[in-house]
Amino acid sequence: MNKTIIININGTVFHIEEDAYEILKSYMTDVKRHFMNSADSHEITTDIENRIAEMFSEILAAEEKQVIVEQDVKTVVEQMGTVQDFENAENDAEGAQSNYTYNNSGTRTLFRDPDDHLLGGVCAGLANYFGTQTIWLRLAFAFSVLFFGTGLFLYIILWIVIPKAVTRADRMAMKGEKLNLQGFKNNLEEELSAVRDHLTNLHAEARPMIYKFRDFVTEFVYLLGKLIKGAGHILIKLIGIVILIACLAGTIALVAMLVTLAIWTDPHSHLFPYSVMTYQYANRLYYAGFFAAFIPVLFIFLLTLKAVFNTRGIDKSVGSVLFVAWLFAVGVVVFYGTRIAAGFRSSASFNQTVSLATPSKNIYYLKINDVKYFTHDDSTRLNMKSTFKGVVITNENTYDDFRENNMSLHIEKSDVAQPILVETFRARGNEYEDALLNARNTKYIFTQTDTLLTFDRYLQRLEGTPWRDQEIELTLKVPVNAVVMIDSKMGDFLRDGIDINQCRDKNKTPDAPNAPFIMMNEGLTCKVDTLVAPVAKVVTTTTVTVDTIKAPKKK
């Protein structure tokens, strides 16, 4: 029966026989004596103790026992090597005046290298493990980033999975150095040599906290700072130049828009945004909007110019004046913009019924009016009476502002024998009375010549009336069995699912100028001619019509 002692080797508890303990104690005393004069004696002896503890744990696990015996200690000492062994080897090497070469024949373990890294030391660790140069692995990862970022994701995964080489034993295992006394001695001498070679950077490299507490975030931020300081400086200049060009282009566009809005108002008064404004404050809104947009562009231009080319900045007094002017311009835009928005707050409508003459043979031809109407100012400006005398100016395929959408036509069955046309005028305004007045200050032109019903393309606003969503809804009511021939150009204005093209296809006349429909009890239906007779064409004569309507004068 042997006496057993409990020992603690750097946090690991072992049960060891007394004879084995004396051998281990004598061995560790020699090791500490040998390294006591080294600059990092405590760290290296701690690493040696950790390695011995690992080897004891492996022996106990392999042999499934709980006590370290004398033979176990001798086995560990034999593998680690004694102090006398490598001291004699060193003396022999010095007597022969030759350099001692250490054989790195140990098993390599995969770690991240904290001493040779750009980000997390993954590439350096892989290079040590596979025995290659770090630069080739870094180039491989950089090249693989081009393939949908594969290299970046793989690098991050390896960064998280692979442990960092923290201790000396980890770094020795990473490089394949034997974990014995000679290996620890050799590794220590390499570190001391590196310190002597980099003596000027001793202060920076002697801070152990850099390697002990640096983690993923701090290393990534450090690299990002280096990139911004280097290549990022050029990128910032390029971005600054692009911003300067964009500011110049924006300034030119704003000036052109201001000239168009403020100077050419009358010829384009039917276009947006002229049409939604009243003429009393239109110019104020144009100029205020220009400065509200231009001053920020100017600030961005000057600040970018200073950052890129290091020019003089904006004077504080000038900056304060521009800021106050910008606030005033924004206030004007908000004030008048609110007034314009308030002009669409309420809606109103009224109906007007027009009695139509009953055409011969109960046939109706519906046609869009192609004659273009001019206001009094336009007629005077173009000198219509002399320059275009006897000339028909058409309005085909020309749509202005919102007017292409403000007329719609419904065709329904009439309850009486006489056809009628119901005109529903709608508009918006600040109050109900304003909306009703806006709906009233419009004009729609409709004419009937026997069987021909001619509809204007859009509802016209009287001169000086702003756009307030004015529209007209026409409802043509014809008796049962009435035939309605609809011109092909009316397709965009018809409602209730009336399809001219489909009806022409049913009659096998896809190129016909009109399509025949008939009013049934259930509504308007395509009239299919089984004989496929040719469709009669309607020939009409149109003349130039000069619209001299003016807005009523305000009292």
Side-chain angles (χ1 to χ4, degrees), residues 43 45 59 184 197 312-313 332 336 378 389 391 400 404 508 530:
E43 180 182 351
T45 54
I59 291 173
F184 284 107
D197 293 339
R312 184 179 179 182
V332 172
Y336 287 113
D378 290 337
K389 184 178 182 180
V391 177
D400 300 323
E404 71 272 18
K508 299 181 180 180
T530 56

Side-chain angles (χ1 to χ4, degrees), residues 93-163:
E94 292 175 358
Q97 296 182 352
S98 61
N99 294 328
Y100 176 78
T101 303
Y102 178 67
N103 183 19
N104 292 342
S105 59
T107 303
R108 297 176 185 267
T109 306
L110 184 58
F111 286 100
R112 290 188 290 116
D113 191 349
D115 300 323
D116 181 15
H117 68 94
L118 289 179
L119 281 175
V122 173
C123 293
L126 291 173
N128 285 316
Y129 185 77
F130 293 106
T132 185
Q133 294 185 3
T134 307
I135 187 173
W136 301 117
L137 290 174
R138 288 172 178 168
L139 289 175
F141 273 102
F143 182 73
S144 61
V145 171
L146 301 177
F147 295 94
F148 307 101
T150 305
L152 178 61
F153 291 116
L154 178 60
Y155 190 94
I156 293 175
I157 292 173
L158 293 176
W159 192 344
I160 297 173
V161 173
I162 300 175

Side-chain angles (χ1 to χ4, degrees), residues 252-303:
I252 295 174
L254 289 173
V255 172
M257 187 179 298
L258 177 64
V259 172
T260 303
L261 292 173
I263 299 179
W264 295 345
T265 301
D266 292 338
H268 305 284
S269 58
H270 58 281
L271 298 176
F272 182 86
Y274 305 99
S275 56
V276 299
M277 303 180 188
T278 57
Y279 300 115
Q280 294 85 348
Y281 55 83
N283 285 335
R284 305 173 197 171
L285 189 57
Y286 299 152
Y287 288 111
F290 171 79
F291 285 107
F294 172 72
I295 292 177
V297 172
L298 179 61
F299 266 102
I300 295 174
F301 180 84
L302 294 177
L303 291 176

